[in-house]
Amino acid sequence: MSSAKTRSVLVRLGKDLRAARLRRGMAISDLAVRAGTSTSTIIRMEKGEAGVGIGTLADILVVFGLNERLADLIDVRHDDLGLALSNERLPQRGRSFSARLRRHRSDQNPASPEGDTNADGLAF
């Protein structure tokens, strides 16, 4: 079951899909064929029913040439709350350059023992 908020958003989405289809002068059957689905699915989507899959929505948006809009729905660069929460978890202090350099060197050569080694690999 969908909440009242979800239901109203889906109804609005359905109306927008119908308007986009009509602006393009497409019949429901034409859209269904081009999106690879049935006419009843298009009708259900235009009514705002919650049971229609997101893949079907993606197929319809491809037909309309609006597929990038789906990818932009939850663009993390525009997620103000998510960014604020992420910034709260950032460390308060950064590492010094020398600490990062030591870590980088140890990550590149983890098998080398601490200390000086000669050509035979023996530590002193």
Side-chain angles (χ1 to χ4, degrees):
M1 287 294 217
S2 300
S3 69
K5 287 182 182 181
T6 303
R7 178 77 180 131
S8 67
V9 169
L10 290 175
V11 168
R12 191 179 91 209
L13 175 65
K15 287 179 181 180
D16 290 345
L17 287 171
R18 183 175 192 280
R21 177 180 60 78
L22 293 175
R23 279 191 209 122
R24 287 162 176 78
M26 296 177 77
I28 291 175
S29 58
D30 293 336
L31 178 58
V33 168
R34 291 180 68 187
T37 191
S38 66
T39 55
S40 63
T41 300
I42 301 295
I43 292 168
R44 288 177 45 225
M45 183 159 274
E46 288 185 357
K47 286 182 179 179
E49 290 187 16
V52 182
I54 193 166
T56 304
L57 173 61
D59 291 337
I60 292 170
L61 291 177
V62 167
V63 172
F64 290 161
L66 301 172
N67 47 315
E68 286 301 316
R69 304 276 303 271
L70 184 62
D72 291 338
L73 283 178
I74 306 181
D75 187 347
V76 295
R77 295 170 294 187
H78 301 292
D79 181 10
D80 295 333
L81 177 60
L83 289 171
L85 292 171
S86 177
N87 286 337
E88 285 180 7
R89 292 185 216 122
L90 288 175
Q92 298 301 313
R93 243 175 77 171
R95 289 186 174 198
S96 69
F97 176 75
S98 59
R100 284 186 300 204
L101 185 60
R102 282 192 304 270
R103 177 154 175 99
H104 178 70
R105 286 181 181 162
S106 68
D107 287 346
Q108 285 183 339
N109 197 4
S112 70
E114 294 294 324
D116 295 329
T117 60
N118 66 9
D120 296 326
L122 299 173
F124 292 94

